[in-house]
Amino acid sequence: MTLFYFIPRHTLADQVAQEFEILNRGLRSAVYRGIDRPDPDQPDHAMCRDRELAKAAMDAGQSLEAACDVCVMSLICAYRKQRDIVTDIWVLPNHMAFLHKPDWLPEPKILIFDEDFNQAGLEGFDKSNPLRVSISTFSAQPTIFPDGKGNVDADRADLLVYRNKFCKALASGEGPLRRKAIEHSGLTADDCREAMRIECRYKFRLVLLENTSRDVALRSFRRIKNKFTSRVPLVWELLSEFLESDFDTSPCLSVLRNQKAPNGEGSADYLQIHRRRNISESYLNKPTLILDATGNVDLIEPYFPAVKEVANISAHAPNRHIRQVPDRTFAKSMFIYPDDSPTAENNVRRLHRVLEVDAAKHRAKGNDGIDVLAVCQKDVEAELEKHSEIAGLDMAHFNAIAGVNKWENVAKQVVIGRTLPPPKEIEHMAAVLTGKPVMTLSQAENNWWRFPVPIHMQNGTKQYVMAPRHPDSIAEALRWQICEGQLLQTEGRGRAVNRGSENLLCVDLFTNTPLPLPINETTQWNEIQPSPIELMASRGIVGLDWPTLATVLPDRFK
């Protein structure tokens, strides 16, 4: 029996496989590694020894196997060698669940998903890697490669008609595609499905002979690179779904005008794509278990319509002391502001001093040289790293910590700020996730609704703060998962549930976000600022005269 265990990120794979080996004696585990991952036997090399050839094949719309079949490095290729692994448990990254299973992997009998599953299926929301296709692609003459079966001339003529109609709908305006514009062009859902069929059917399939040289293969791949992109049939598929939906404007397709070209030369008009990927048919109808400390059945249901919650487990952590600083949001703008704001720079220095004193107070109380963990937004982490390194402090950022165990023995955690996209972005994600219109906040508001929500104190009292909420249940579930859920994931890195009384975990929450945690005390930002004496002590010198103060604390006395 083979089990597939899906995890949020590749970086956790070895940790998870090792834990399986320890906990399940007699069961073998192995990690699936993609072509770009390091070879565990030779870390200086990637799993694929000729990534240039492999990437050229995939850029040309060909399978990876097309490159492997002519690669002279195939006999020493770690990616191919893993095909020979015999194991009971395969550990794979979440995104593999949305791709067709590699043929060489065995048929799984059981699937387990561990953390951060539903958002992994949403594509196009990463601003650093947008999913786009040039609108000029649809105005070009269709490139059709005969397959010996279809009526090439008729299919080419039909596709040209469909493309011309689509270009007519795209001719004016920008932003989300409007139903009226598509219908006015004469396109129907059936037309879009037929266009998708034609685009896919006549995709160029390169056949390379077994003795083809690498140079010839590379040139062949590059020659057909722009002949086909899977994003074009994807657009037709999304168009057909849009025309059969209840939306007046498409949540998945938007027109962007005069955007900078990927090569940096000139500008062009693009279709921006957002979509929810579906679970691959390779993994449907398998017994499936989803483990997620911050999961929500409503967010998983679009992927697994028959999902049911079978357990909601709460873990008691008595050996933990939580202090919350709820007098502000600690948003990124507090530490990073345009035009090098002196206030933001000063806040970074103040935060650095707090962490410096915390690290000194907890020195040698952790393991492996890590006494204090500080987690914040990625850009704030970068600003803190510009200052002097703090001994015993490890820093990380939100959305890169789920499942990581290396901080399970820190003496203290400091959680700074929160992640919270604007309402429109959450509403967009909710619409793409469910394929249904969501209730939206009015354009005039353009902000979250705010309600008094209690911070629950350990002694049974409550302290109320104004907290953001959304009236749409799916949008609110997404907002909670991204904001409160991420904070809970972060707080859990210290593994307080596994601690005894001799190993107390101290947690500072620098946020005004109420969490379902018992808070031992609250304080204010200004009250936790270290005094000059505390700062000097953290640096190993104490002096009461002004020259000593200026020498030891140049950042305080200039």
Side-chain angles (χ1 to χ4, degrees):
M1 182 181 75
T2 303
L3 183 152
F4 279 16
Y5 194 92
F6 294 94
I7 57 173
R9 294 181 310 283
H10 252 307
T11 51
L12 296 173
D14 288 318
Q15 170 193 304
V16 171
Q18 191 174 39
E19 289 172 352
F20 270 124
E21 295 282 354
I22 295 171
L23 296 174
N24 302 284
R25 294 183 180 179
L27 285 180
R28 300 158 296 179
S29 62
V31 175
Y32 170 87
R33 304 177 196 274
I35 61 172
D36 293 319
R37 301 304 303 169
D39 179 353
D41 297 324
Q42 298 184 57
D44 292 338
H45 294 278
M47 292 290 287
C48 172
R49 291 297 195 268
D50 193 343
R51 284 181 291 173
E52 182 185 23
L53 183 65
K55 188 174 185 304
M58 292 186 288
D59 286 347
Q62 308 302 300
S63 70
L64 182 60
E65 294 300 316
C68 294
D69 289 343
V70 297
C71 181
V72 297
M73 309 286 281
S74 60
L75 294 178
I76 61 170
C77 176
Y79 179 79
R80 289 179 72 94
K81 282 184 178 179
Q82 67 183 339
R83 301 179 179 195
D84 299 327
I85 295 175
V86 177
T87 188
D88 303 297
I89 301 169
W90 276 102
V91 181
L92 309 98
N94 274 342
H95 73 85
M96 291 285 292
F98 305 100
L99 305 175
H100 183 76
K101 180 181 70 64
D103 292 337
W104 57 268
L105 277 174
E107 195 68 24
K109 299 298 182 183
I110 299 174
L111 308 177
I112 298 179
F113 292 87
D114 190 357
E115 305 283 8
D116 286 354
F117 163 66
N118 59 277
Q119 290 184 51
L122 296 180
E123 259 193 330
F125 290 93
D126 181 358
K127 294 182 177 63
S128 64
N129 186 29
L131 191 60
R132 297 176 178 175
V133 60
S134 174
I135 290 177
S136 64
T137 303
F138 294 92
S139 61
Q141 185 74 16
T143 301
I144 286 183
F145 299 95
D147 64 354
K149 300 176 182 178
N151 187 327
V152 176
D153 292 335
D155 282 342
R156 181 186 287 111
D158 287 344
L159 184 58
L160 188 60
V161 170
Y162 301 141
R163 285 190 174 191
N164 286 338
K165 288 181 178 181
F166 189 37
C167 287
K168 178 182 176 183
L170 298 174
S172 61
E174 58 183 311
L177 286 185
R178 297 186 176 276
R179 175 182 295 276
K180 287 184 179 179
I182 302 298
E183 291 178 343
H184 184 70
S185 73
L187 269 179
T188 66
D190 286 340
D191 291 341
C192 296
R193 278 190 288 270
E194 179 64 10
M196 180 179 70
R197 181 195 69 79
I198 297 172
E199 301 272 15
C200 290
R201 178 168 191 171
Y202 295 106
K203 165 188 170 182
F204 189 88
R205 291 170 177 82
L206 183 66
V207 178
L208 296 174
L209 300 177
E210 188 175 347
N211 61 348
T212 302
S213 70
R214 178 187 184 278
D215 289 343
V216 169
L218 195 59
R219 286 198 301 271
S220 300
F221 291 140
R222 288 173 175 169
R223 192 177 300 121
I224 63 171
K225 178 179 178 180
N226 296 318
K227 301 297 185 183
F228 176 83
T229 169
S230 59
R231 296 180 184 184
V232 170
L234 173 60
V235 167
W236 291 117
E237 180 182 11
L238 294 175
L239 267 176
S240 67
E241 292 173 356
F242 168 49
L243 290 172
E244 292 180 331
S245 74
D246 297 325
F247 290 103
D248 291 324
T249 58
S250 172
C252 297
L253 296 169
S254 296
V255 176
L256 302 177
R257 302 290 183 190
N258 299 316
Q259 299 294 304
K260 191 174 182 179
N263 59 9
E265 298 179 3
S267 60
D269 296 338
Y270 289 92
L271 269 177
Q272 174 88 39
I273 301 172
H274 296 87
R275 67 155 174 166
R276 185 199 76 222
R277 296 185 293 175
N278 293 319
I279 297 294
S280 169
E281 292 184 2
S282 309
Y283 305 118
L284 293 179
N285 303 315
K286 308 280 186 187
T288 302
L289 175 64
I290 298 172
L291 307 171
D292 197 336
T294 60
N296 184 305
V297 170
D298 291 339
L299 303 182
I300 298 170
E301 197 173 58
Y303 301 101
F304 293 101
V307 65
K308 292 181 181 179
E309 184 176 297
V310 296
N312 191 335
I313 302 170
S314 297
H316 187 46
N319 300 300
R320 170 184 61 190
H321 183 280
I322 305 178
R323 178 176 67 169
Q324 186 161 356
V325 186
D327 64 333
R328 59 199 72 199
T329 63
F330 294 91
K332 183 168 70 172
S333 59
M334 177 177 169
F335 305 101
I336 301 171
Y337 207 77
D339 303 322
D340 297 324
S341 163
T343 301
E345 290 182 13
N346 186 49
N347 285 332
V348 173
R349 284 194 294 269
R350 296 177 79 192
L351 178 57
H352 187 270
R353 291 173 196 143
V354 170
L355 296 175
E356 184 180 358
V357 171
D358 275 340
K361 288 179 179 178
H362 295 87
R363 189 145 297 146
K365 294 181 181 178
N367 276 358
D368 301 322
I370 304 176
D371 304 310
V372 177
L373 167 65
V375 181
C376 54
Q377 294 203 47
K378 189 174 183 179
D379 291 341
V380 177
E381 179 187 11
E383 288 298 312
L384 285 168
E385 288 177 342
K386 293 177 182 178
H387 293 256
S388 59
E389 184 176 351
I390 299 174
L393 174 73
D394 200 12
M395 289 196 293
H397 56 269
F398 296 123
N399 298 315
I401 56 174
V404 180
N405 285 338
K406 74 171 184 173
W407 302 298
E408 61 185 346
N409 290 310
V410 295
K412 184 167 185 176
Q413 282 183 261
V414 184
V415 183
I416 305 149
R418 67 187 182 190
T419 51
L420 184 62
K424 296 303 176 191
E425 187 172 331
I426 295 291
E427 291 163 359
H428 189 186
M429 292 175 67
V432 172
L433 176 67
T434 62
K436 300 175 183 177
V438 301
M439 185 185 304
T440 59
L441 299 177
S442 70
Q443 194 68 35
E445 289 175 294
N446 197 29
N447 208 338
W448 299 102
W449 286 3
R450 294 185 183 274
F451 298 93
V453 179
I455 294 174
H456 294 275
M457 305 300 294
Q458 178 70 51
N459 62 12
T461 62
K462 299 176 182 178
Q463 295 185 22
Y464 284 84
V465 295
M466 298 301 290
R469 294 292 185 267
H470 198 286
D472 184 90
S473 61
I474 296 297
E476 173 57 18
L478 276 169
R479 186 211 63 77
W480 190 95
Q481 190 175 70
I482 291 170
C483 183
E484 286 92 330
Q486 185 61 213
L487 288 171
L488 290 171
Q489 281 281 2
T490 303
E491 188 277 332
R493 292 314 96 208
R495 303 301 190 199
V497 295
N498 298 332
R499 296 190 179 227
S501 57
E502 76 290 346
N503 190 20
L504 179 73
L505 174 64
C506 297
V507 179
D508 275 357
L509 299 176
F510 293 1
T511 177
N512 65 351
T513 302
L515 296 174
L517 296 172
I519 307 301
N520 297 87
E521 60 174 309
T522 58
T523 185
Q524 295 184 352
W525 172 239
N526 290 332
E527 291 179 0
I528 64 172
Q529 297 305 309
S531 68
I533 299 298
E534 288 177 305
L535 267 178
M536 284 195 297
S538 72
R539 297 174 187 181
I541 301 174
V542 177
L544 300 179
D545 58 284
W546 288 110
T548 302
L549 287 172
T551 301
V552 180
L553 305 175
D555 51 332
R556 289 293 301 269
F557 299 95
K558 295 182 180 179

